[in-house]
Each structure stands twice: as structure tokens, then as C-alpha cells.
Amino acid sequence: GENVEQHPSTLSVQEGDSAVIKCTYSDSASNYFPWYKQELGKRPQLIIDIRSNVGEKKDQRIAVTLNKTAKHFSLHITETQPEDSAVYFCAASISPALIFGKGTTLSVSS
Amino acid sequence: NAGVMQNPRHLVRRRGQEARLRCSPMKGHSHVYWYRQLPEEGLKFMVYLQKENIIDESGMPKERFSAEFPKEGPSILRIQQVVRGDSAAYFCASSRLPGGSQETQYFGPGTRLLVL
């Protein structure tokens, strides 16, 4: 079945720096790749997603890139702020489920 | 614009008791998914339901776990004879279109189950 690997597991950056989180997936049938942000004790919140007919998508400080040939996708956060601190999960769809990575704990220090 | 609702938010059970978790999808959504999250882990798919139908339960343990989504009322995830290993956060998600159609899944706040 589908397997999603996510790296790094923890990431510490200074406020204003960029953060990059990378994921790889195994099933070439996956065609939808959302990213969720989860604060402690809260629900996962969708922050950006990309579909397989697109290579890159940007929304203000957040961007996602997808390389279907290599089966990997990445989240880029620019100009990080302390409120970006949270656990970030990538996921790949394999009908009907989302298969999640194990998460990256991002800490942004001011 | 009410999001996905789950209750209870916290549930404490003793070993051997039953746990019943409820999920009301977003308005206009008729597709419901249940996921389990162990501490320090990602979410693991359990089951996908449409109204009155279980579509995919490939991620759900064969014993003690069951799910339903009746014509009226919330979706329910039931865990019978709970064991300590069932302690986890259980999240429900919903979507407007069927799972697998590149459709966004929106998550509820979760039920945190603690088995003593």
C-alpha cells in the first residue's frame, strides 16, 4: 500500500528564516497532496494542497512543489513567524483515504 | 459555517467498557472518514462511510471496532471492550465529494480517548 515518508521530524528556525519540509510517497496512483498544520491539542487544519496536474502552488508565504516523476513533494514557508510553530503533516491520497507522514515539529524562535 | 463537529472531546473509559464517538460532518458533506492518531504519530485511516453505507473499512481493526453513518444523525465510531492500546485521538473528517476524487477533507476537533 501507499507509504509516505516525511523529513525532517523536527525543524528549528529563527524568525524570518525559511523552512522546508519534504515528503516522498510510494504509490504512483496518488494524485492529491494536502498539507495540514496541527497545533497542540487542536484539529489538523489544511494550509495548502496540490493536485497532480500542477507542479507548484503558492499562497502568500506558503508554497508547495510536486515532482511526480520522483514521487516527492515539499512545503516551503518563507519569512517564518513564531505563530508558524506547530506540527506539519503531509499526506497523499490513495482512494478514499489520505495517507499521512509522521509529521514535522516546526519551532520558530524570535 | 459550522465545521465538522465531534463529541465528546475527551472520553475516559476503564478497560472492558465501551467507547462511543460521534461525528457530525460539515453542512452539505455526505462523506465521512475516521482516523486514529497515536502520540507523536501521523493520522491513520480507519474507515470511510457515506450515508447508510460503509465504503471502505480497510484500516479498521477486525474485532471490537465498528462504525456507522445512519440516514439521520451523526456518524458513530464504537469501540467495544476497550484496552489500553486504544488510547489515542480519534479524528473525523468530511468531504463534499467522494473520497479519492482529489477532494479536500476537513477535520473535526477530535475525541481524545483515555483507557485506564
Side-chain angles (χ1 to χ4, degrees), chain B residues 48-65:
Chain B
Y48 164 47
L49 309 101
Q50 296 175 20
K51 283 284 186 181
E52 300 184 276
N53 285 302
I54 297 174
I55 307 301
D56 186 329
E57 55 184 349
S58 59
M60 201 149 70
K62 294 288 185 282
E63 297 180 352
R64 302 188 298 107
F65 286 71

Side-chain angles (χ1 to χ4, degrees), chain B residues 12-28:
Chain B
V12 180
R13 285 287 178 265
R14 297 195 178 279
R15 281 177 295 170
Q17 292 184 318
E18 178 180 286
R20 192 172 292 210
L21 289 60
R22 295 176 190 78
C23 169
S24 296
M26 283 179 70
K27 188 175 181 180

Side-chain angles (χ1 to χ4, degrees), chain A residues 31-32 36 38 41-44 46 49 51-52 89 95-98 100-102, chain B residues 4 33 35 37 42-43 45 48 56 91 99-100 102-105 107-109 112:
Chain A
N31 59 3
Y32 173 62
Y36 288 86
Q38 187 178 31
K42 301 285 183 65
R43 75 184 74 197
L46 179 74
D49 57 13
R51 291 167 173 82
S52 60
F89 292 97
S95 181
L98 291 176
F100 284 83
K102 290 195 172 182
Chain B
V4 180
Y33 316 78
Y35 291 83
Q37 185 177 35
L43 290 85
F45 169 75
Y48 164 47
D56 186 329
F91 288 94
Q102 301 185 331
E103 184 72 0
T104 300
Q105 293 183 19
F107 282 83
R112 280 143 187 88

Side-chain angles (χ1 to χ4, degrees), chain A:
Chain A
E2 174 70 284
N3 184 47
V4 176
E5 299 282 339
Q6 183 172 347
H7 299 281
S9 56
T10 59
L11 181 58
S12 296
V13 299
Q14 289 287 117
E15 184 177 2
D17 287 350
S18 294
V20 180
I21 302 170
K22 299 182 178 182
C23 290
T24 60
Y25 62 98
S26 59
D27 194 326
S28 56
S30 292
N31 59 3
Y32 173 62
F33 307 91
W35 286 86
Y36 288 86
K37 175 184 180 182
Q38 187 178 31
E39 296 175 358
L40 189 64
K42 301 285 183 65
R43 75 184 74 197
Q45 295 232 326
L46 179 74
I47 55 171
I48 196 168
D49 57 13
I50 191 166
R51 291 167 173 82
S52 60
N53 58 339
V54 176
E56 184 173 355
K57 183 177 177 180
K58 192 172 182 180
D59 182 3
Q60 299 184 347
R61 296 187 297 109
I62 295 173
V64 58
T65 58
L66 170 64
N67 184 328
K68 284 223 77 181
T69 303
K71 294 188 207 166
H72 64 70
F73 55 113
S74 301
L75 177 72
H76 304 252
I77 307 174
T78 58
E79 300 171 31
T80 54
Q81 301 166 2
E83 51 265 38
D84 293 331
S85 297
V87 181
Y88 291 80
F89 292 97
C90 64
S93 71
I94 188 73
S95 181
L98 291 176
I99 308 301
F100 284 83
K102 290 195 172 182
T104 296
T105 301
L106 174 63
S107 299
V108 181
S109 51
S110 54

Side-chain angles (χ1 to χ4, degrees), chain B residues 65-79:
Chain B
F65 286 71
S66 62
E68 63 178 16
F69 190 14
K71 187 177 180 181
E72 301 291 337
S75 175
I76 294 175
L77 178 68
R78 183 189 301 171
I79 311 172

